[in-house]
Amino acid sequence: MEIMTSPYKNAADSPSRQLLYELSRLGISNQENFYARLDRESKEREAVHREALAAAAAEHDRIRRNAENEREKLELQLQAEQRRREEEERKELEKIRQERAEREIAEKRREIERAKTAELEARRLDEARRAAAAAASAAKADKERRDAEAAETARQLKEAQDARAREKDEAKHAEKRAKDAALLAQKKANEQLDLQNSQASLAAQPIRKPTRNPEREAEHQRYVEIHQNLKKLRKFMMAEAQKQPAFKQRMGDLRREIKKCVGQLIEGKGVNKVPLSQLMAVFREAAQVPEPRVDVSLFLASRPQQADTQAPALLLYLLNILAKAVVSQFIDEGGVSPKSADPVGIVASHIFSIGEFRWQGLSLIDILIAKMHVVCPVIWGIYGDESTTEGKLRIGWWQEEKNTNSPTWVSSQEHNQRMTGLGAGFAALAMRNYEKAKLDNPYPNVHYWKALAAIINVPPAEITQTHFVVLKAMIENYETRFLEFYGDAALAVLRVALLEFPSRGQQQSVAAKALAGLADVFRLTKKLNL
């Protein structure tokens, strides 16, 4: 079928067709522009979106990096904290091991010293037995000698009597007797002249007059009386214990507990809590026993003004046992290692400072000081001649066998060791600092000052080696605390004690040189120039 077309389809000169063509071209152009604009806007939005995505990615990357940096910092902090804890644990373990090793060393040292003491004691007993045997043999020989001399004297007397009888019968011997009488008279005249010359010589020599301080001697004698009263208290308690078997058993248990706890005291911070708590329990129990009671003024240096001076006897008795154990520990441990006296002094001072163990607020530390007065009087300026029995008794030279006829004294080495321990022990008692404590100091620091002054002011002619030994033990290890308490005044005292006092003795001994040597030790170790 033939399709018919308009004759004006391709007519170029048709106005309507031309208009239609131009309109169609205009529509196509607008459409192309529209789509082009859409494409352009789409590309612009895509670019904006891409830029936003890039910015978001960059921000995300920055946040991620910051988070990673923070995580790394946190990990480093955790690692550092872990290393610090591990280091602290290692140091704590090392400290514990070191303290354990020090305790073991101290225990071994004490065992060695106990063995040495036992050996010395055995040797001393053996020497005493040999000396006793020698003394018995000498006494027997002396008796035989005296008997022989008596027999010889009797024989000579009989012969003299026979001779005088024969002289009476013989007249020719009269002249001889006259000559003998003249010679005897001349001899007596010569002896009388020698006696006069000796008396004149003695009169020309200066007389050494005693220069003892009456107040100091009276104070010392008061403490000696307290020591004697403590002995009577012990006998009284023994008699009371015999009446009550249960009381006797408990009193013995408490006494042994005190000695055990004091023997366990060693150097180190916090290591004596257990024995101290056990001692506290012992004295708290004793303070609760009201009967029997005794006059407490017998055991105080200054007599109290109160009308009622009764106190529990068991508490006083056990404080006396503590004082004896403390003094023994000063001698046994402090004599070998003066620093070991410090923990003993700390515990003793603490016990006597507690209100429960005081009497109406007064400390009973005079019980301990009385024992120190007996065993080491030189701390309070007492002096005596070390070459005489009386002098040795005055300065506290210990007797192994207390025989009034021929006392046996410990050796000079043992005496100096005892004095070293007691001097260090006194300093451990008197140099305690109670400024931050709620308790009152039972033995204030001024007693240390007075003791130094008493020793330093001993007359030069009366200074003994014991004074040098005790003074050295009192100063060594306590010079820093002394300076903290008294400042420049303490420095002046140390200068006198270490530089001037050692040269006052009649002869420069090893003890005097050791005391003077402390000045060099302080200069080198403490930068302390005297």
Side-chain angles (χ1 to χ4, degrees), residues 32-164:
E32 288 177 353
N33 291 336
F34 175 74
Y35 286 118
R37 183 170 55 81
L38 288 178
D39 292 340
R40 186 172 61 255
E41 291 179 354
S42 177
K43 288 180 180 180
E44 290 177 355
R45 283 194 298 272
E46 181 180 359
V48 171
H49 291 164
R50 289 185 182 278
E51 291 177 359
L53 289 173
E59 180 66 16
H60 176 73
D61 188 55
R62 184 184 65 79
I63 295 173
R64 180 182 57 78
R65 286 196 304 271
N66 291 340
E68 289 178 352
N69 291 336
E70 293 298 325
R71 178 180 59 80
E72 291 176 356
K73 290 181 181 179
L74 181 59
E75 289 178 352
L76 291 175
Q77 291 177 356
L78 293 175
Q79 291 175 1
E81 180 67 19
Q82 183 177 0
R83 286 195 298 270
R84 185 185 63 78
R85 287 197 300 268
E86 291 175 352
E87 181 66 17
E88 289 180 353
E89 292 176 357
R90 185 189 64 77
K91 289 182 179 179
E92 185 67 22
L93 291 175
E94 182 66 24
K95 180 180 178 181
I96 293 173
R97 283 196 294 268
Q98 185 176 358
E99 291 177 350
R100 186 183 299 114
E102 290 176 353
R103 288 196 296 270
E104 292 176 355
I105 292 172
E107 183 63 27
K108 289 180 180 179
R109 187 182 294 115
R110 284 195 292 272
E111 291 178 359
I112 293 172
E113 292 304 325
R114 292 191 193 100
K116 287 182 180 179
T117 303
E119 182 180 355
L120 290 174
E121 183 67 17
R123 188 183 304 168
R124 185 186 65 78
L125 292 175
D126 186 54
E127 291 176 354
R129 284 194 294 268
R130 288 200 298 269
S137 177
K140 182 179 179 182
D142 187 59
K143 184 176 182 301
E144 293 175 352
R145 180 180 58 78
R146 288 197 300 270
D147 292 343
E149 289 177 352
E152 180 66 18
T153 302
R155 184 183 64 80
Q156 292 176 357
L157 181 61
K158 185 175 182 302
E159 290 178 355
Q161 290 174 350
D162 293 342
R164 284 194 296 271

Side-chain angles (χ1 to χ4, degrees), residues 270-342:
V271 297
N272 295 319
K273 290 183 179 179
V274 173
L276 176 59
S277 62
Q278 293 173 346
L279 286 172
M280 298 276 288
V282 168
F283 289 109
R284 285 196 177 100
E285 180 178 346
Q288 299 301 319
V289 180
E291 297 293 339
R293 300 176 72 82
V294 293
D295 185 0
V296 73
S297 65
L298 298 173
F299 313 106
L300 296 174
S302 299
R303 301 186 184 277
Q305 301 298 323
Q306 293 86 338
D308 182 12
T309 58
Q310 297 296 305
L314 181 60
L315 176 61
L316 295 172
Y317 169 76
L318 292 179
L319 287 174
N320 180 38
I321 297 299
L322 173 68
K324 291 179 65 176
V326 166
V327 170
S328 297
Q329 198 75 354
F330 284 161
I331 294 172
D332 296 338
E333 300 293 339
V336 178
S337 174
K339 286 185 177 181
S340 63
D342 197 60

Side-chain angles (χ1 to χ4, degrees), residues 182-218:
L183 291 174
L184 181 62
Q186 182 65 31
K187 182 178 179 181
K188 288 184 177 180
N190 292 336
E191 290 177 352
Q192 184 66 24
L193 181 60
D194 292 340
L195 178 61
Q196 293 175 356
N197 292 334
S198 299
Q199 291 175 345
S201 175
L202 290 174
Q205 295 179 358
I207 299 177
R208 183 175 174 180
K209 297 182 180 180
T211 57
R212 295 173 181 172
N213 187 316
E215 294 182 1
R216 190 173 296 156
E217 292 290 331

Side-chain angles (χ1 to χ4, degrees), residues 230-291:
L230 290 170
K231 290 184 177 181
K232 296 177 183 178
L233 173 64
R234 179 179 177 276
K235 293 180 180 179
F236 170 76
M237 293 301 295
M238 292 296 104
E240 289 293 318
Q242 295 298 329
K243 303 175 184 178
Q244 306 177 49
F247 178 72
K248 177 181 179 181
Q249 177 64 34
R250 188 54 186 158
M251 188 174 74
D253 293 340
L254 295 176
R255 181 179 66 248
R256 287 184 289 272
E257 182 72 8
I258 290 173
K259 293 181 178 179
K260 181 200 75 173
C261 292
V262 174
Q264 292 175 344
L265 300 176
I266 58 176
E267 297 178 69
K269 187 176 181 180
V271 297
N272 295 319
K273 290 183 179 179
V274 173
L276 176 59
S277 62
Q278 293 173 346
L279 286 172
M280 298 276 288
V282 168
F283 289 109
R284 285 196 177 100
E285 180 178 346
Q288 299 301 319
V289 180
E291 297 293 339

Side-chain angles (χ1 to χ4, degrees), residues 163-194:
R164 284 194 296 271
R166 286 193 300 271
E167 287 174 357
K168 290 179 182 180
D169 295 338
E170 299 175 358
K172 61 181 180 180
H173 295 155
E175 185 179 357
K176 182 179 179 181
R177 288 198 298 272
K179 291 181 180 180
D180 292 338
L183 291 174
L184 181 62
Q186 182 65 31
K187 182 178 179 181
K188 288 184 177 180
N190 292 336
E191 290 177 352
Q192 184 66 24
L193 181 60
D194 292 340

